[in-house]
Amino acid sequence: MPYQFITFGVADRIATITVNRPDKLNALNDATIEELGRAIDEARTRDDVAGIILTGAGRAFIAGADISELSSQSPFDARERSLRGQAVFRRFETSPKPVVAAVNGFALGGGCELAMACHIRLASEHAKFGQPEVKLGIVPGYGGTQRLPRLIGKGRAMQLLLTGEIVDAQEAVRIGLANSVHPAGELAEAARTLVVTILAQGPQAVALCIDAVDRGLELPLAEGLLVEADYFGLCASTADMREGMQAFLDKRAPGFTGR
Ligand code: COA
């Protein structure tokens, strides 16, 4: 089925998923959420895709869930909508292929939440981040109350969540919500360069790092360390570990095969 509210392009093993409702600042209506679910699954399963960039068309990244749809929801509809969105965002978070959010403008509500579900966030100088749901009389529904404190700490998360305050790109970097800020015209290239850098590493090691961090954050330290030890052992079964180490000893660049 073709996409209506997003675009999906692949170049040089990198899939770029662009939310494309610029007249509504890329607000996430249900149809866009469904398409994002299909897009991340397409990126995860396609052999010609090794890394993923998520961005928005026009002046926004994503200005939140579509308030026109939320305004009439019943309690049970709202719960189902939340669960559907959470499941889609989780597909981004658990992708074994690295996902970088290129936050080109407003990342509010569901936009901030989807950016947080990506592995790394790069911000344009025009980016703005926030969870303004309390201004609408709702709590975030796509993971904001859970991922924000995990990412930036409880105190700072509480401040953003309870006030609905919107922060600029520099402040987002300062509090750890974004990794770096870039001139608007250089954001796409910065995201691409970052993904290319990751793709030059051992792909299984990258996938296992993502999984170890994702699982480990939910585990007591001792159990997280066991996950790490298991993956460290698993790497020793791969041709890529032998290649990576031999390349170092030979003083040459490694040629990883993903096996
Ligand atoms: N849901 C639905 N429509 C949205 C939207 C959202 N979350 N965010 C923006 N839009 C729409 C506006 O309604 C407007 O549509 P219209 O031209 O048909 O009236 C269009 O996008 C442009 O937005 P506008 O408000 O005119 O732009 P602005 O530059 O004045 O303000 C924002 C930008 C982001 C500050 C403002 O749009 C806003 O506060 N959006 C809602 C943010 C939010 O609360 N998100 C969390 C939702 S749970």
Side-chain angles (χ1 to χ4, degrees):
M1 212 160 68
Y3 297 113
Q4 185 184 353
F5 297 118
I6 66 164
T7 62
F8 185 104
V10 178
D12 302 328
R13 302 170 67 225
I14 301 173
T16 299
I17 301 170
T18 306
V19 183
N20 190 26
R21 292 183 80 201
D23 54 323
K24 296 293 177 191
L25 303 186
N26 303 323
L28 298 175
N29 57 4
D30 291 344
T32 306
I33 293 274
E34 186 272 330
E35 290 187 15
L36 282 168
R38 276 196 282 132
I40 187 62
D41 283 350
E42 180 174 348
R44 285 178 64 147
T45 51
R46 270 174 65 157
D47 289 339
D48 61 340
V49 172
I52 300 155
I53 294 171
L54 175 70
T55 193
R59 66 188 172 100
F61 176 70
I62 296 167
D66 191 317
I67 297 168
S68 64
E69 285 188 347
L70 303 191
S71 59
S72 59
Q73 63 191 0
S74 75
F76 286 95
D77 291 344
R79 185 173 188 277
E80 282 303 309
R81 174 170 284 130
S82 173
L83 290 172
R84 276 197 309 274
Q86 288 173 357
V88 168
F89 287 19
R90 186 78 180 127
R91 298 288 292 159
F92 283 78
E93 189 167 47
T94 60
S95 165
K97 302 173 183 176
V99 186
V100 171
V103 181
N104 53 301
F106 292 112
L108 304 178
C112 189
E113 291 170 300
L114 184 52
M116 288 193 287
C118 297
H119 300 136
I120 298 174
R121 286 147 295 285
L122 303 189
S124 122
E125 60 199 330
H126 303 313
K128 299 229 184 307
F129 296 79
Q131 299 287 163
E133 285 88 346
V134 286
K135 293 179 189 293
L136 302 168
I138 57 173
V139 300
Y142 293 152
T145 61
Q146 303 306 304
R147 290 195 181 92
L148 193 59
R150 282 167 170 77
L151 195 58
I152 67 171
K154 181 177 170 183
R156 285 178 172 142
M158 283 291 193
Q159 185 169 339
L160 292 187
L161 290 165
L162 302 189
T163 65
E165 175 190 348
I166 289 167
V167 298
D168 65 17
Q170 299 288 356
E171 177 67 358
V173 170
R174 194 186 71 78
I175 63 179
L177 186 46
N179 289 52
S180 52
V181 54
H182 304 266
E186 296 170 20
L187 177 67
E189 192 50 37
R192 179 160 289 277
T193 300
L194 175 59
V195 175
V196 166
T197 301
I198 297 170
L199 296 188
Q201 318 308 318
Q204 294 162 320
V206 165
L208 290 173
C209 277
I210 291 170
D211 199 49
V213 170
D214 185 69
R215 292 177 62 186
L217 276 175
E218 304 311 315
L219 293 172
L221 180 64
E223 288 177 37
L225 290 172
L226 274 178
V227 170
E228 182 182 272
D230 286 346
Y231 288 178
F232 193 68
L234 191 55
C235 288
S237 72
T238 66
D240 278 350
M241 186 194 88
R242 289 189 293 283
E243 168 60 13
M245 295 195 179
Q246 194 58 52
F248 176 82
L249 297 173
D250 295 347
K251 302 188 187 308
R252 61 174 172 81
F256 293 119
T257 59
R259 284 195 286 275

